[in-house]
Amino acid sequence: MLKSGIDQDALIEMFASASAKQTAQLRDAVSQATLKALQGREMSLKNIKAVIKSVTEAASTGALQNVTPKVDVESMLNGALAGMDDALLKAVDANRVALERLVDQGVGLQEKQLKKALDDLEKLEDTMFDTVRKATGGADMAKLAGPWAEVLGKFEQAGSLTGAQANATLEQMTNQMQTAMRQSRAAGLKAAQTLAQSYTALVSGVLMGMSDALRQGGGDDATPAPKAAGKSARK
Protein backbone atom coordinates (compact mmCIF):
# COMPACT_ATOMS: atom_id res chain seq x y z
CA MET A 1 0.00 0.00 0.00
CA LEU A 2 1.36 3.39 -1.04
CA LYS A 3 0.59 6.04 1.57
CA SER A 4 2.10 9.54 1.64
CA GLY A 5 4.60 8.41 -0.93
CA ILE A 6 5.70 5.47 1.24
CA ASP A 7 5.46 1.82 0.23
CA GLN A 8 4.11 0.74 3.59
CA ASP A 9 3.75 -2.92 2.61
CA ALA A 10 7.45 -3.15 1.80
CA LEU A 11 8.44 -1.57 5.12
CA ILE A 12 6.00 -3.73 7.06
CA GLU A 13 7.42 -6.87 5.49
CA MET A 14 10.98 -5.76 6.21
CA PHE A 15 10.27 -5.12 9.89
CA ALA A 16 8.18 -8.28 10.21
CA SER A 17 10.99 -10.49 8.93
CA ALA A 18 14.03 -8.67 10.31
CA SER A 19 16.44 -10.54 12.51
CA ALA A 20 18.28 -9.15 15.51
CA LYS A 21 21.28 -8.45 13.28
CA GLN A 22 19.43 -6.37 10.70
CA THR A 23 18.71 -3.17 12.63
CA ALA A 24 21.30 -1.24 10.61
CA GLN A 25 19.57 -2.34 7.41
CA LEU A 26 16.23 -1.24 8.80
CA ARG A 27 17.63 2.20 9.59
CA ASP A 28 18.95 2.59 6.05
CA ALA A 29 15.70 1.35 4.49
CA VAL A 30 13.61 3.77 6.56
CA SER A 31 15.96 6.63 5.73
CA GLN A 32 15.77 5.96 2.00
CA ALA A 33 11.98 5.51 2.03
CA THR A 34 11.45 8.68 4.07
CA LEU A 35 13.80 10.74 1.94
CA LYS A 36 12.21 9.52 -1.29
CA ALA A 37 8.76 10.50 -0.02
CA LEU A 38 9.96 13.93 1.10
CA GLN A 39 11.60 14.58 -2.27
CA GLY A 40 8.29 14.07 -4.04
CA ARG A 41 6.38 16.85 -2.27
CA GLU A 42 6.56 20.40 -1.03
CA MET A 43 8.76 20.65 2.06
CA SER A 44 6.11 21.83 4.52
CA LEU A 45 5.59 20.73 8.12
CA LYS A 46 2.21 19.30 7.11
CA ASN A 47 3.76 17.03 4.48
CA ILE A 48 6.63 16.07 6.77
CA LYS A 49 4.13 15.00 9.44
CA ALA A 50 2.26 12.85 6.90
CA VAL A 51 5.44 11.07 5.82
CA ILE A 52 6.69 10.49 9.38
CA LYS A 53 3.26 9.17 10.41
CA SER A 54 3.17 6.76 7.49
CA VAL A 55 6.67 5.44 8.17
CA THR A 56 6.02 5.09 11.91
CA GLU A 57 2.82 3.14 11.32
CA ALA A 58 4.54 0.77 8.89
CA ALA A 59 7.50 0.16 11.21
CA SER A 60 5.20 -0.44 14.18
CA THR A 61 2.91 -2.81 12.28
CA GLY A 62 5.88 -4.82 11.03
CA ALA A 63 7.46 -4.96 14.49
CA LEU A 64 4.21 -6.33 15.96
CA GLN A 65 4.17 -9.08 13.33
CA ASN A 66 7.78 -10.08 13.90
CA VAL A 67 8.11 -13.49 15.60
CA THR A 68 11.82 -13.98 14.97
CA PRO A 69 13.50 -15.54 18.03
CA LYS A 70 15.48 -13.13 20.22
CA VAL A 71 14.47 -10.13 18.15
CA ASP A 72 15.02 -6.83 19.95
CA VAL A 73 11.89 -4.80 19.26
CA GLU A 74 13.28 -1.70 20.93
CA SER A 75 16.38 -1.86 18.76
CA MET A 76 14.19 -2.18 15.66
CA LEU A 77 12.14 0.87 16.62
CA ASN A 78 15.32 2.77 17.43
CA GLY A 79 16.51 1.99 13.91
CA ALA A 80 13.22 3.29 12.50
CA LEU A 81 13.45 6.59 14.38
CA ALA A 82 17.14 6.94 13.52
CA GLY A 83 16.30 6.38 9.86
CA MET A 84 13.69 9.11 9.91
CA ASP A 85 16.19 11.36 11.69
CA ASP A 86 18.76 10.68 8.94
CA ALA A 87 16.26 11.66 6.25
CA LEU A 88 15.19 14.85 8.01
CA LEU A 89 18.86 15.74 8.45
CA LYS A 90 19.11 15.92 4.67
CA ALA A 91 15.93 17.99 4.61
CA VAL A 92 17.62 20.47 6.96
CA ASP A 93 20.58 20.69 4.58
CA ALA A 94 18.19 21.36 1.70
CA ASN A 95 16.60 24.15 3.76
CA ARG A 96 20.02 25.62 4.49
CA VAL A 97 20.91 25.82 0.80
CA ALA A 98 17.55 27.43 -0.02
CA LEU A 99 17.89 29.94 2.82
CA GLU A 100 21.40 30.89 1.74
CA ARG A 101 20.08 31.66 -1.73
CA LEU A 102 17.32 33.82 -0.30
CA VAL A 103 19.76 35.78 1.83
CA ASP A 104 22.18 36.15 -1.08
CA GLN A 105 19.32 37.66 -3.09
CA GLY A 106 18.78 40.24 -0.38
CA VAL A 107 15.76 38.73 1.38
CA GLY A 108 15.67 39.97 4.97
CA LEU A 109 14.40 38.41 8.18
CA GLN A 110 11.32 40.62 8.01
CA GLU A 111 10.18 38.86 4.83
CA LYS A 112 7.37 36.36 5.51
CA GLN A 113 8.87 33.64 3.33
CA LEU A 114 12.16 33.63 5.17
CA LYS A 115 10.63 34.01 8.62
CA LYS A 116 8.29 31.04 8.09
CA ALA A 117 11.16 28.89 6.78
CA LEU A 118 13.20 29.63 9.90
CA ASP A 119 10.24 28.99 12.19
CA ASP A 120 9.51 25.64 10.52
CA LEU A 121 13.15 24.65 10.77
CA GLU A 122 13.13 25.38 14.49
CA LYS A 123 10.06 23.16 14.93
CA LEU A 124 11.35 20.22 12.88
CA GLU A 125 12.74 18.07 15.71
CA ASP A 126 9.64 18.52 17.88
CA THR A 127 7.47 17.77 14.87
CA MET A 128 9.22 14.44 14.34
CA PHE A 129 8.93 13.39 17.99
CA ASP A 130 5.31 14.55 18.35
CA THR A 131 4.22 12.82 15.15
CA VAL A 132 5.82 9.51 16.15
CA ARG A 133 4.27 9.75 19.61
CA LYS A 134 0.79 10.37 18.22
CA ALA A 135 1.13 7.66 15.58
CA THR A 136 1.98 5.08 18.24
CA GLY A 137 -0.56 6.16 20.86
CA GLY A 138 -3.49 4.09 19.63
CA ALA A 139 -4.90 0.99 21.36
CA ASP A 140 -3.64 -1.24 18.55
CA MET A 141 -0.07 -0.18 19.41
CA ALA A 142 -0.39 -0.90 23.13
CA LYS A 143 2.21 -3.68 23.00
CA LEU A 144 4.76 -1.22 21.66
CA ALA A 145 3.99 1.57 24.13
CA GLY A 146 6.92 0.65 26.38
CA PRO A 147 9.56 0.21 23.62
CA TRP A 148 8.49 3.37 21.80
CA ALA A 149 8.50 5.40 25.02
CA GLU A 150 12.01 4.17 25.75
CA VAL A 151 13.27 4.99 22.27
CA LEU A 152 11.66 8.43 22.19
CA GLY A 153 12.91 9.22 25.69
CA LYS A 154 16.52 8.44 24.77
CA PHE A 155 16.32 10.44 21.56
CA GLU A 156 14.77 13.45 23.25
CA GLN A 157 17.32 13.38 26.03
CA ALA A 158 20.31 13.09 23.71
CA GLY A 159 18.86 15.24 20.96
CA SER A 160 18.40 14.22 17.35
CA LEU A 161 20.79 14.85 14.48
CA THR A 162 17.98 16.83 12.89
CA GLY A 163 17.63 19.10 15.90
CA ALA A 164 21.37 19.69 16.21
CA GLN A 165 21.74 20.53 12.52
CA ALA A 166 18.62 22.70 12.53
CA ASN A 167 19.99 24.73 15.46
CA ALA A 168 23.36 25.08 13.73
CA THR A 169 21.63 26.21 10.54
CA LEU A 170 19.49 28.74 12.42
CA GLU A 171 22.59 30.19 14.06
CA GLN A 172 24.45 30.29 10.75
CA MET A 173 21.59 32.00 8.93
CA THR A 174 21.09 34.52 11.75
CA ASN A 175 24.76 35.44 11.64
CA GLN A 176 24.73 35.60 7.85
CA MET A 177 21.70 37.90 7.84
CA GLN A 178 23.24 40.14 10.51
CA THR A 179 26.43 40.36 8.45
CA ALA A 180 24.40 41.21 5.35
CA MET A 181 22.56 43.93 7.28
CA ARG A 182 25.83 45.40 8.56
CA GLN A 183 27.27 45.40 5.05
CA SER A 184 24.12 47.04 3.76
CA ARG A 185 24.32 49.71 6.45
CA ALA A 186 28.01 50.20 5.77
CA ALA A 187 27.28 50.62 2.08
CA GLY A 188 24.53 53.09 2.90
CA LEU A 189 26.85 55.07 5.18
CA LYS A 190 29.56 55.12 2.53
CA ALA A 191 27.07 56.38 -0.05
CA ALA A 192 25.91 59.07 2.37
CA GLN A 193 29.49 60.15 3.02
CA THR A 194 30.18 60.28 -0.72
CA LEU A 195 27.06 62.33 -1.26
CA ALA A 196 28.07 64.71 1.52
CA GLN A 197 31.52 65.12 0.04
CA SER A 198 30.01 65.78 -3.40
CA TYR A 199 27.65 68.35 -1.94
CA THR A 200 30.43 70.29 -0.25
CA ALA A 201 32.40 70.19 -3.52
CA LEU A 202 29.34 71.46 -5.36
CA VAL A 203 28.93 74.34 -2.91
CA SER A 204 32.62 75.20 -3.35
CA GLY A 205 32.19 75.21 -7.11
CA VAL A 206 29.17 77.51 -6.94
CA LEU A 207 31.00 79.86 -4.61
CA MET A 208 33.98 79.96 -6.98
CA GLY A 209 31.64 80.72 -9.89
CA MET A 210 30.06 83.58 -7.99
CA SER A 211 33.49 85.02 -7.18
CA ASP A 212 34.54 84.86 -10.83
CA ALA A 213 31.34 86.63 -11.89
CA LEU A 214 31.96 89.38 -9.36
CA ARG A 215 35.50 89.92 -10.58
CA GLN A 216 34.49 89.96 -14.24
CA GLY A 217 31.61 92.37 -13.58
CA GLY A 218 33.66 94.92 -11.75
CA GLY A 219 32.85 94.27 -8.13
CA ASP A 220 29.69 95.49 -6.49
CA ASP A 221 28.49 97.30 -9.63
CA ALA A 222 27.91 93.91 -11.23
CA THR A 223 25.37 93.05 -8.61
CA PRO A 224 21.88 94.18 -9.62
CA ALA A 225 20.09 96.45 -7.14
CA PRO A 226 17.31 94.78 -5.21
CA LYS A 227 13.74 95.83 -5.96
CA ALA A 228 12.07 98.09 -3.52
CA ALA A 229 10.02 96.38 -0.94
CA GLY A 230 6.51 97.29 0.00
CA LYS A 231 3.21 97.86 -1.77
CA SER A 232 4.68 99.85 -4.62
CA ALA A 233 6.86 96.92 -5.60
CA ARG A 234 3.79 94.71 -5.94
CA LYS A 235 1.77 97.09 -8.13
Side-chain angles (χ1 to χ4, degrees), residues 2-58:
L2 196 65
K3 186 176 180 181
S4 298
I6 298 290
D7 187 346
Q8 284 190 311
D9 291 337
L11 281 179
I12 290 172
E13 175 61 28
M14 184 171 291
F15 275 83
S17 60
S19 67
K21 298 180 180 180
Q22 292 180 308
T23 54
Q25 293 176 332
L26 292 176
R27 175 175 179 167
D28 185 62
V30 167
S31 176
Q32 293 300 320
T34 304
L35 187 60
K36 183 178 179 180
L38 291 175
Q39 289 172 334
R41 61 191 61 231
E42 181 184 356
M43 195 67 68
S44 66
L45 285 182
K46 180 181 178 180
N47 287 334
I48 290 173
K49 288 179 183 178
V51 171
I52 296 301
K53 182 176 183 291
S54 181
V55 172
T56 301
E57 290 174 344

Side-chain angles (χ1 to χ4, degrees), residues 16-207:
S17 60
S19 67
K21 298 180 180 180
Q22 292 180 308
T23 54
Q25 293 176 332
L26 292 176
R27 175 175 179 167
D28 185 62
V30 167
S31 176
Q32 293 300 320
T34 304
L35 187 60
K36 183 178 179 180
L38 291 175
Q39 289 172 334
R41 61 191 61 231
E42 181 184 356
M43 195 67 68
S44 66
L45 285 182
K46 180 181 178 180
N47 287 334
I48 290 173
K49 288 179 183 178
V51 171
I52 296 301
K53 182 176 183 291
S54 181
V55 172
T56 301
E57 290 174 344
S60 299
T61 300
L64 285 171
Q65 295 176 4
N66 193 302
V67 293
T68 306
K70 298 181 179 180
V71 68
D72 187 344
V73 174
E74 185 179 316
S75 181
M76 292 171 63
L77 299 181
N78 184 79
L81 188 54
M84 288 183 272
D85 188 21
D86 291 341
L88 290 184
L89 180 63
K90 291 182 174 61
V92 172
D93 284 336
N95 271 279
R96 176 184 55 77
V97 172
L99 287 168
E100 286 178 344
R101 290 178 181 175
L102 285 176
V103 175
D104 287 343
Q105 291 172 5
V107 178
L109 183 58
Q110 71 278 7
E111 298 293 338
K112 289 183 178 180
Q113 186 179 11
L114 183 57
K115 189 175 186 304
K116 185 179 187 306
L118 293 173
D119 288 343
D120 287 353
L121 197 59
E122 189 174 14
K123 297 174 183 175
L124 198 52
E125 181 184 60
D126 288 340
T127 295
M128 178 176 67
F129 290 146
D130 290 345
T131 303
V132 171
R133 185 173 287 106
K134 290 178 181 178
T136 58
D140 54 337
M141 298 291 177
K143 291 183 179 180
L144 296 178
W148 265 123
E150 190 70 21
V151 169
L152 283 167
K154 289 179 179 178
F155 258 83
E156 288 175 320
Q157 183 177 5
S160 67
L161 296 175
T162 296
Q165 185 67 9
N167 288 334
T169 299
L170 287 169
E171 183 177 356
Q172 174 192 339
M173 297 313 304
T174 300
N175 291 336
Q176 188 171 335
M177 284 184 288
Q178 289 175 343
T179 299
M181 288 176 63
R182 284 195 297 268
Q183 290 175 342
S184 177
R185 288 173 181 171
L189 179 60
K190 185 176 181 180
Q193 290 172 337
T194 301
L195 179 61
Q197 291 168 355
S198 299
Y199 177 75
T200 54
L202 177 61
V203 172
S204 297
V206 172
L207 183 58

